[in-house]
Amino acid sequence: MTDVDKKAWSREEFEARLRGMEKYYHVHHPYHILMNEGKLTKEQLQGWVANRYYYQVSIPLKDANILANCPDRETRAKWIQRILDHDGHPGDPGGIEAWIQLGIAVGLTREEITSQQFVLPGVRFAVDAYVNFARRSEWHEAASSSLTELFAPKIHQQRLDNWPEHYPWVEQEGYVYFRKRLTEARRDVEHGLEITLDWYKTRAQQERMLQILQFKLDVLWTMADAMYMAYVNKMPPYFNIDK
């Protein structure tokens, strides 16, 4: 059977296949497993927060590129909320500031976080690839790449449940980001899923969407790979080069 002959999945089966990609989500990466089990050292947890900051500040850039490529007014009116959630607006300092507070809660200074001095090359390359994908892709594809949010509430809830016990030295003010994203991510999923299920109609298009979602999962997994090499295996970039 050729690709042309393949019958499109029903809306329900397509969604089920998207949700089935959860097995590739970075919650299953060894770095996150160690984190969830309370086995990261303070330095390893700080490394994760410092590197993940680069992802946080890049998300509004990704979303701004989607808006720039999207001709649909109603979609833009909803999607812009994502930028406000991260960058902040009157009455809400935003998710990026909440992440900085998480960094301070784990013992980093604001300057250490915002300077991006600890961001690993592998993390930077992965995140930049994601932003460039959003910039260059057809806007539906770029928007649907955000659907790793399907799996995000689970990982945020794990941190809220486990960190106070495993990492009691983390100040409580640091948990604001995770609490915010519990509700924001669910709202974003509803919109992103609606766009995705409406747009990808043929089997070839649906399989293309699975590839796009795999790409985004690869971005997150690659970020964790870089951190595992640097902070767990003690093999940061150029570790074997005399300086």
Side-chain angles (χ1 to χ4, degrees):
M1 180 181 293
T2 66
D3 290 342
V4 175
D5 296 328
K6 290 180 180 178
K7 182 180 180 181
W9 293 313
S10 68
R11 191 179 182 92
E12 293 74 22
E13 184 176 1
F14 184 30
E15 180 176 346
R17 288 180 179 269
L18 293 172
R19 292 186 181 276
M21 299 288 282
E22 192 272 344
K23 62 186 177 182
Y24 301 113
Y25 193 50
H26 62 172
V27 69
H28 304 296
H29 190 282
Y31 204 88
H32 286 277
I33 291 173
L34 290 173
M35 183 188 300
N36 189 44
E37 293 176 346
K39 296 179 180 178
L40 291 186
T41 66
K42 183 175 184 178
E43 291 72 21
Q44 289 165 347
L45 197 61
Q46 289 175 333
W48 175 74
V49 174
N51 276 272
R52 180 80 180 192
Y53 176 77
Y54 188 67
Y55 180 83
Q56 302 302 326
V57 297
S58 298
I59 290 301
L61 303 181
K62 177 267 296 184
D63 288 322
N65 278 289
I66 293 173
L67 287 176
N69 292 328
C70 177
D72 183 70
R73 179 184 177 187
E74 291 185 5
T75 298
R76 293 198 307 268
K78 290 183 179 180
W79 203 272
I80 198 170
Q81 184 61 47
R82 296 171 182 245
I83 296 178
L84 297 174
D85 287 343
H86 279 78
D87 282 343
H89 53 86
D92 182 359
I96 292 174
E97 178 59 30
W99 196 268
I100 293 172
Q101 292 304 314
L102 173 62
I104 293 172
V106 301
L108 298 168
T109 67
R110 179 179 289 269
E111 172 62 22
E112 286 174 329
I113 303 161
T114 59
S115 68
Q116 302 178 15
Q117 60 186 308
F118 299 124
V119 177
L120 298 164
V123 169
R124 193 177 296 274
F125 283 134
V127 174
D128 288 352
Y130 182 39
V131 175
N132 285 329
F133 176 81
R135 179 180 295 120
R136 298 169 181 171
S137 297
E138 195 279 334
W139 76 266
H140 291 92
E141 292 195 348
S144 61
S145 71
S146 298
L147 273 184
T148 48
E149 294 162 334
L150 283 167
F151 322 124
K154 175 181 177 181
I155 204 170
H156 294 317
Q157 191 62 59
Q158 280 185 345
R159 293 164 187 159
L160 289 169
D161 292 342
N162 298 331
W163 278 33
E165 176 184 355
H166 294 321
Y167 309 108
W169 48 269
V170 176
E171 298 177 1
Q172 291 298 310
E173 292 79 5
Y175 295 123
V176 170
Y177 178 86
F178 303 140
R179 294 192 184 97
K180 278 173 58 69
R181 290 307 297 166
L182 278 177
T183 54
E184 292 171 355
R186 291 189 176 99
R187 180 207 62 213
D188 293 345
V189 162
E190 183 178 346
H191 185 213
L193 195 57
E194 178 185 6
I195 290 172
T196 299
L197 296 178
D198 286 345
W199 178 250
Y200 298 89
K201 293 299 187 182
T202 69
R203 179 68 169 271
Q205 290 172 333
Q206 291 168 337
E207 290 179 348
R208 166 63 178 162
M209 174 48 205
L210 293 182
Q211 294 173 348
I212 291 170
L213 186 56
Q214 184 65 65
F215 160 72
K216 175 60 186 308
L217 290 163
D218 290 347
V219 167
L220 298 173
W221 197 274
T222 298
M223 291 170 61
D225 278 347
M227 288 182 266
Y228 195 94
M229 285 289 289
Y231 305 127
V232 179
N233 285 354
K234 305 297 183 183
M235 298 170 65
Y238 314 115
F239 75 98
N240 59 330
I241 305 297
D242 292 332
K243 298 179 180 179

PDB file of all heavy atoms in Angstrom, residues 156-172:
ATOM      1  N   HIS A 156       5.522  18.667  35.875  1.00  0.00           N
ATOM      2  CA  HIS A 156       5.435  19.773  36.832  1.00  0.00           C
ATOM      3  C   HIS A 156       4.876  19.279  38.170  1.00  0.00           C
ATOM      4  O   HIS A 156       5.346  19.682  39.239  1.00  0.00           O
ATOM      5  CB  HIS A 156       4.559  20.895  36.276  1.00  0.00           C
ATOM      6  CG  HIS A 156       5.134  21.570  35.078  1.00  0.00           C
ATOM      7  ND1 HIS A 156       6.465  21.911  34.971  1.00  0.00           N
ATOM      8  CD2 HIS A 156       4.551  21.976  33.901  1.00  0.00           C
ATOM      9  CE1 HIS A 156       6.685  22.493  33.802  1.00  0.00           C
ATOM     10  NE2 HIS A 156       5.538  22.540  33.148  1.00  0.00           N
ATOM     11  N   GLN A 157       3.871  18.415  38.106  1.00  0.00           N
ATOM     12  CA  GLN A 157       3.285  17.894  39.331  1.00  0.00           C
ATOM     13  C   GLN A 157       4.287  17.033  40.098  1.00  0.00           C
ATOM     14  O   GLN A 157       4.325  17.073  41.338  1.00  0.00           O
ATOM     15  CB  GLN A 157       2.029  17.079  39.018  1.00  0.00           C
ATOM     16  CG  GLN A 157       1.210  16.729  40.256  1.00  0.00           C
ATOM     17  CD  GLN A 157       0.693  17.953  40.979  1.00  0.00           C
ATOM     18  OE1 GLN A 157      -0.041  18.755  40.391  1.00  0.00           O
ATOM     19  NE2 GLN A 157       1.061  18.130  42.238  1.00  0.00           N
ATOM     20  N   GLN A 158       5.082  16.267  39.382  1.00  0.00           N
ATOM     21  CA  GLN A 158       6.116  15.468  40.044  1.00  0.00           C
ATOM     22  C   GLN A 158       7.057  16.354  40.847  1.00  0.00           C
ATOM     23  O   GLN A 158       7.414  16.018  41.980  1.00  0.00           O
ATOM     24  CB  GLN A 158       6.926  14.681  39.006  1.00  0.00           C
ATOM     25  CG  GLN A 158       6.267  13.415  38.502  1.00  0.00           C
ATOM     26  CD  GLN A 158       7.187  12.629  37.584  1.00  0.00           C
ATOM     27  OE1 GLN A 158       8.201  13.144  37.108  1.00  0.00           O
ATOM     28  NE2 GLN A 158       6.832  11.383  37.331  1.00  0.00           N
ATOM     29  N   ARG A 159       7.454  17.460  40.264  1.00  0.00           N
ATOM     30  CA  ARG A 159       8.378  18.358  40.958  1.00  0.00           C
ATOM     31  C   ARG A 159       7.721  18.963  42.195  1.00  0.00           C
ATOM     32  O   ARG A 159       8.367  19.075  43.244  1.00  0.00           O
ATOM     33  CB  ARG A 159       8.856  19.447  40.003  1.00  0.00           C
ATOM     34  CG  ARG A 159       9.726  18.904  38.879  1.00  0.00           C
ATOM     35  CD  ARG A 159       9.869  19.893  37.740  1.00  0.00           C
ATOM     36  NE  ARG A 159      10.563  19.282  36.610  1.00  0.00           N
ATOM     37  CZ  ARG A 159      10.490  19.738  35.362  1.00  0.00           C
ATOM     38  NH1 ARG A 159       9.766  20.815  35.095  1.00  0.00           N
ATOM     39  NH2 ARG A 159      11.134  19.133  34.387  1.00  0.00           N
ATOM     40  N   LEU A 160       6.471  19.357  42.067  1.00  0.00           N
ATOM     41  CA  LEU A 160       5.767  19.909  43.224  1.00  0.00           C
ATOM     42  C   LEU A 160       5.602  18.870  44.323  1.00  0.00           C
ATOM     43  O   LEU A 160       5.660  19.191  45.521  1.00  0.00           O
ATOM     44  CB  LEU A 160       4.397  20.444  42.792  1.00  0.00           C
ATOM     45  CG  LEU A 160       4.422  21.720  41.940  1.00  0.00           C
ATOM     46  CD1 LEU A 160       3.042  21.998  41.354  1.00  0.00           C
ATOM     47  CD2 LEU A 160       4.904  22.903  42.761  1.00  0.00           C
ATOM     48  N   ASP A 161       5.399  17.617  43.934  1.00  0.00           N
ATOM     49  CA  ASP A 161       5.198  16.547  44.915  1.00  0.00           C
ATOM     50  C   ASP A 161       6.509  16.098  45.559  1.00  0.00           C
ATOM     51  O   ASP A 161       6.535  15.807  46.765  1.00  0.00           O
ATOM     52  CB  ASP A 161       4.536  15.335  44.237  1.00  0.00           C
ATOM     53  CG  ASP A 161       3.101  15.605  43.815  1.00  0.00           C
ATOM     54  OD1 ASP A 161       2.503  16.575  44.329  1.00  0.00           O
ATOM     55  OD2 ASP A 161       2.590  14.853  42.960  1.00  0.00           O
ATOM     56  N   ASN A 162       7.583  16.042  44.766  1.00  0.00           N
ATOM     57  CA  ASN A 162       8.800  15.381  45.226  1.00  0.00           C
ATOM     58  C   ASN A 162       9.907  16.310  45.716  1.00  0.00           C
ATOM     59  O   ASN A 162      10.666  15.951  46.619  1.00  0.00           O
ATOM     60  CB  ASN A 162       9.368  14.497  44.112  1.00  0.00           C
ATOM     61  CG  ASN A 162       8.417  13.388  43.713  1.00  0.00           C
ATOM     62  OD1 ASN A 162       7.624  12.930  44.531  1.00  0.00           O
ATOM     63  ND2 ASN A 162       8.479  12.952  42.468  1.00  0.00           N
ATOM     64  N   TRP A 163      10.007  17.471  45.122  1.00  0.00           N
ATOM     65  CA  TRP A 163      11.126  18.339  45.485  1.00  0.00           C
ATOM     66  C   TRP A 163      11.136  18.743  46.961  1.00  0.00           C
ATOM     67  O   TRP A 163      12.206  18.745  47.574  1.00  0.00           O
ATOM     68  CB  TRP A 163      11.129  19.576  44.589  1.00  0.00           C
ATOM     69  CG  TRP A 163      11.765  19.366  43.249  1.00  0.00           C
ATOM     70  CD1 TRP A 163      11.773  18.220  42.503  1.00  0.00           C
ATOM     71  CD2 TRP A 163      12.466  20.341  42.484  1.00  0.00           C
ATOM     72  NE1 TRP A 163      12.424  18.418  41.325  1.00  0.00           N
ATOM     73  CE2 TRP A 163      12.864  19.720  41.282  1.00  0.00           C
ATOM     74  CE3 TRP A 163      12.785  21.674  42.681  1.00  0.00           C
ATOM     75  CZ2 TRP A 163      13.581  20.397  40.285  1.00  0.00           C
ATOM     76  CZ3 TRP A 163      13.486  22.353  41.695  1.00  0.00           C
ATOM     77  CH2 TRP A 163      13.884  21.718  40.518  1.00  0.00           C
ATOM     78  N   PRO A 164       9.998  19.120  47.555  1.00  0.00           N
ATOM     79  CA  PRO A 164      10.051  19.531  48.963  1.00  0.00           C
ATOM     80  C   PRO A 164      10.633  18.444  49.870  1.00  0.00           C
ATOM     81  O   PRO A 164      11.302  18.750  50.867  1.00  0.00           O
ATOM     82  CB  PRO A 164       8.580  19.815  49.296  1.00  0.00           C
ATOM     83  CG  PRO A 164       7.979  20.214  47.989  1.00  0.00           C
ATOM     84  CD  PRO A 164       8.644  19.316  46.977  1.00  0.00           C
ATOM     85  N   GLU A 165      10.396  17.185  49.527  1.00  0.00           N
ATOM     86  CA  GLU A 165      10.933  16.080  50.326  1.00  0.00           C
ATOM     87  C   GLU A 165      12.383  15.801  49.964  1.00  0.00           C
ATOM     88  O   GLU A 165      13.233  15.644  50.853  1.00  0.00           O
ATOM     89  CB  GLU A 165      10.105  14.817  50.100  1.00  0.00           C
ATOM     90  CG  GLU A 165      10.661  13.588  50.820  1.00  0.00           C
ATOM     91  CD  GLU A 165       9.891  12.322  50.501  1.00  0.00           C
ATOM     92  OE1 GLU A 165       8.853  12.399  49.799  1.00  0.00           O
ATOM     93  OE2 GLU A 165      10.330  11.243  50.952  1.00  0.00           O
ATOM     94  N   HIS A 166      12.680  15.744  48.671  1.00  0.00           N
ATOM     95  CA  HIS A 166      14.017  15.352  48.236  1.00  0.00           C
ATOM     96  C   HIS A 166      15.038  16.481  48.326  1.00  0.00           C
ATOM     97  O   HIS A 166      16.230  16.229  48.548  1.00  0.00           O
ATOM     98  CB  HIS A 166      13.963  14.844  46.791  1.00  0.00           C
ATOM     99  CG  HIS A 166      13.183  13.578  46.615  1.00  0.00           C
ATOM    100  ND1 HIS A 166      13.216  12.539  47.518  1.00  0.00           N
ATOM    101  CD2 HIS A 166      12.346  13.174  45.619  1.00  0.00           C
ATOM    102  CE1 HIS A 166      12.449  11.557  47.107  1.00  0.00           C
ATOM    103  NE2 HIS A 166      11.901  11.917  45.958  1.00  0.00           N
ATOM    104  N   TYR A 167      14.581  17.709  48.116  1.00  0.00           N
ATOM    105  CA  TYR A 167      15.490  18.853  48.097  1.00  0.00           C
ATOM    106  C   TYR A 167      14.956  19.927  49.048  1.00  0.00           C
ATOM    107  O   TYR A 167      14.548  21.014  48.615  1.00  0.00           O
ATOM    108  CB  TYR A 167      15.616  19.404  46.672  1.00  0.00           C
ATOM    109  CG  TYR A 167      15.951  18.335  45.646  1.00  0.00           C
ATOM    110  CD1 TYR A 167      14.992  17.896  44.727  1.00  0.00           C
ATOM    111  CD2 TYR A 167      17.214  17.761  45.600  1.00  0.00           C
ATOM    112  CE1 TYR A 167      15.290  16.918  43.797  1.00  0.00           C
ATOM    113  CE2 TYR A 167      17.530  16.769  44.667  1.00  0.00           C
ATOM    114  CZ  TYR A 167      16.559  16.351  43.777  1.00  0.00           C
ATOM    115  OH  TYR A 167      16.861  15.371  42.848  1.00  0.00           O
ATOM    116  N   PRO A 168      14.954  19.650  50.351  1.00  0.00           N
ATOM    117  CA  PRO A 168      14.366  20.592  51.315  1.00  0.00           C
ATOM    118  C   PRO A 168      15.088  21.928  51.374  1.00  0.00           C
ATOM    119  O   PRO A 168      14.538  22.902  51.893  1.00  0.00           O
ATOM    120  CB  PRO A 168      14.470  19.839  52.650  1.00  0.00           C
ATOM    121  CG  PRO A 168      15.573  18.847  52.454  1.00  0.00           C
ATOM    122  CD  PRO A 168      15.493  18.452  51.012  1.00  0.00           C
ATOM    123  N   TRP A 169      16.287  21.972  50.821  1.00  0.00           N
ATOM    124  CA  TRP A 169      17.066  23.216  50.833  1.00  0.00           C
ATOM    125  C   TRP A 169      16.580  24.207  49.763  1.00  0.00           C
ATOM    126  O   TRP A 169      16.976  25.375  49.771  1.00  0.00           O
ATOM    127  CB  TRP A 169      18.551  22.913  50.622  1.00  0.00           C
ATOM    128  CG  TRP A 169      18.827  21.973  49.483  1.00  0.00           C
ATOM    129  CD1 TRP A 169      18.926  20.612  49.542  1.00  0.00           C
ATOM    130  CD2 TRP A 169      19.034  22.328  48.117  1.00  0.00           C
ATOM    131  NE1 TRP A 169      19.174  20.094  48.291  1.00  0.00           N
ATOM    132  CE2 TRP A 169      19.253  21.127  47.394  1.00  0.00           C
ATOM    133  CE3 TRP A 169      19.058  23.545  47.422  1.00  0.00           C
ATOM    134  CZ2 TRP A 169      19.496  21.100  46.024  1.00  0.00           C
ATOM    135  CZ3 TRP A 169      19.297  23.527  46.056  1.00  0.00           C
ATOM    136  CH2 TRP A 169      19.514  22.312  45.370  1.00  0.00           C
ATOM    137  N   VAL A 170      15.728  23.762  48.841  1.00  0.00           N
ATOM    138  CA  VAL A 170      15.184  24.661  47.822  1.00  0.00           C
ATOM    139  C   VAL A 170      14.114  25.538  48.467  1.00  0.00           C
ATOM    140  O   VAL A 170      13.161  25.033  49.062  1.00  0.00           O
ATOM    141  CB  VAL A 170      14.578  23.867  46.641  1.00  0.00           C
ATOM    142  CG1 VAL A 170      13.926  24.825  45.639  1.00  0.00           C
ATOM    143  CG2 VAL A 170      15.643  23.020  45.961  1.00  0.00           C
ATOM    144  N   GLU A 171      14.265  26.834  48.336  1.00  0.00           N
ATOM    145  CA  GLU A 171      13.323  27.759  48.954  1.00  0.00           C
ATOM    146  C   GLU A 171      11.952  27.678  48.277  1.00  0.00           C
ATOM    147  O   GLU A 171      11.852  27.496  47.064  1.00  0.00           O
ATOM    148  CB  GLU A 171      13.873  29.187  48.872  1.00  0.00           C
ATOM    149  CG  GLU A 171      15.197  29.363  49.634  1.00  0.00           C
ATOM    150  CD  GLU A 171      15.774  30.754  49.481  1.00  0.00           C
ATOM    151  OE1 GLU A 171      15.135  31.586  48.806  1.00  0.00           O
ATOM    152  OE2 GLU A 171      16.863  31.004  50.028  1.00  0.00           O
ATOM    153  N   GLN A 172      10.898  27.808  49.068  1.00  0.00           N
ATOM    154  CA  GLN A 172       9.532  27.607  48.584  1.00  0.00           C
ATOM    155  C   GLN A 172       9.147  28.583  47.469  1.00  0.00           C
ATOM    156  O   GLN A 172       8.311  28.259  46.620  1.00  0.00           O
ATOM    157  CB  GLN A 172       8.548  27.744  49.753  1.00  0.00           C
ATOM    158  CG  GLN A 172       8.644  26.618  50.768  1.00  0.00           C
ATOM    159  CD  GLN A 172       8.308  25.266  50.149  1.00  0.00           C
ATOM    160  OE1 GLN A 172       7.285  25.114  49.489  1.00  0.00           O
ATOM    161  NE2 GLN A 172       9.184  24.289  50.359  1.00  0.00           N
TER     162      GLN A 172
END
